[in-house]
Amino acid sequence: MTRRAVLPALAVLRLHLACGLALLTRLPVDWLLPASYRGGADTQPPPPWPLGRSIWCWPLIGGGVGAVTGCVLVLLHRVHMPPLVAACMALAAQTLLSGALHEDGLADMADAAGGRTRERRLEIMRDSHIGSFGTSALCLAFGIRVAALAALAVQPGKVGMISCILAGVLGRAAMLVLPARLPPARTDGLARALSPLPRAPLGVALASAGALTLWLMTLWGENWTKEWATGTHPTALSLTLAPIIAACLGVIGMAWAARRLLGGYTGDVLGACVVVVECLVLATFAALAA
């Protein structure tokens, strides 16, 4: 029996959380790791990290990243920072927290679209340099999110905060759909670590993301009760479905592009999916709040 097999349930949960935080953020996670994973004088190598089993907490971590973004946005606006400046600072905080991991994936995938063959595209995605396609994709992604956050910053109540949290939750939930539906494009890296994707953690991740979405959209809609009563705002049904539809469209588009260009998914594809879904969800919230 391996050391991993004898870990108590709480230690396993902490290990899964450490895996998710180490991948999706730049927060220190050593304090969460069981002793057998921290290394030290023991010459025996630590067990492999259960990255695939940790996916149940990824939407929750995404919600936490979104909460930090929303806090910065709301607090700066309340101290009379102009909405555009507050939006830029909030997105800067999010980028620092995530280490621009997802933006790196977006840039790599955009550059790869210029390749003529699948092999050449995968080679381009390995290149650390950024080209004109990647630069354009990053500028558009940051521009869309900043504009949406600036529009949400001036809204009443909890609108800005809830929108940021839901964008984080739906973005990280969306990235899990791709490895569930596509084969890995490579035999190494993150794509191989997630294949085959464990079904039980995937179900927990999607179920928790769905429950959080419904609950937070209920809170979001409380700000618009009077508008619903007078018929000057979209119905509660459209309010709830709109961000979910936006996230689904983002996933469908990314899955189509990944299959057509690469024949499957890579870690860069998953990162790009997060950014695309966040852009669509935040833009949808900005439109609903207008």
Side-chain angles (χ1 to χ4, degrees):
M1 182 176 294
T2 65
R3 287 178 291 178
R4 177 183 172 186
V6 299
L7 287 176
L10 181 58
V12 171
L13 292 178
R14 290 173 55 189
L15 176 59
H16 290 174
L17 184 59
C19 288
L21 287 172
L23 176 66
L24 300 177
T25 74
R26 289 297 176 263
L27 296 175
V29 298
D30 287 347
W31 62 279
L32 282 171
L33 294 173
S36 58
Y37 282 81
R38 295 177 187 171
D42 189 359
T43 57
Q44 184 176 357
W49 284 39
L51 191 62
R53 305 296 300 179
S54 74
I55 61 174
W56 64 266
C57 66
W58 291 10
L60 303 180
I61 294 172
V65 173
V68 172
T69 307
C71 282
V72 175
L73 180 71
V74 172
L75 289 176
L76 289 180
H77 183 64
R78 287 186 176 179
V79 297
H80 306 292
M81 189 77 73
L84 187 59
V85 178
C88 289
M89 296 296 288
L91 193 55
Q94 175 179 308
T95 304
L96 288 173
L97 181 58
S98 66
L101 174 70
H102 309 310
E103 286 77 11
D104 178 72
L106 176 68
D108 286 342
M109 188 172 181
D111 280 333
R116 292 185 177 274
T117 65
R118 174 181 178 274
E119 291 72 21
R120 176 55 182 157
R121 292 174 191 129
L122 289 172
E123 182 183 348
I124 291 173
M125 294 177 80
R126 292 283 198 190
D127 193 342
S128 60
H129 297 86
I130 182 172
S132 57
F133 286 180
T135 302
S136 300
L138 286 177
C139 290
L140 289 171
F142 277 106
I144 290 171
R145 287 180 292 175
V146 164
L149 289 173
L152 292 168
V154 299
Q155 297 303 318
K158 314 176 189 69
V159 169
M161 173 67 73
I162 293 174
S163 301
C164 290
I165 295 175
L166 276 175
V169 170
L170 292 174
R172 276 63 177 189
M175 72 184 290
L176 297 177
V177 176
L178 297 184
R181 304 300 300 174
L182 297 176
R186 289 195 180 100
T187 58
D188 59 353
L190 180 62
R192 176 51 60 190
L194 293 178
S195 180
L197 200 67
R199 296 299 177 180
L202 175 63
V204 173
L206 297 181
S208 63
L212 276 172
T213 299
L214 293 176
W215 176 59
L216 290 173
M217 286 307 298
T218 300
L219 297 178
W220 202 95
E222 290 177 357
N223 296 276
W224 307 107
T225 303
K226 293 181 180 179
E227 285 79 356
W228 289 345
T230 58
T232 58
H233 199 271
T235 65
L237 180 61
S238 64
L239 183 66
T240 302
L241 292 180
I244 298 176
I245 293 173
C248 289
L249 290 175
V251 171
I252 292 171
M254 290 301 301
W256 175 84
R259 186 181 293 276
R260 179 178 178 274
L261 296 175
L262 306 172
Y265 73 95
T266 67
D268 286 332
V269 171
L270 301 186
C273 183
V274 172
V275 179
V276 169
V277 169
E278 279 192 349
C279 287
L280 292 174
V281 171
L282 288 174
T284 300
F285 278 126
L288 289 173

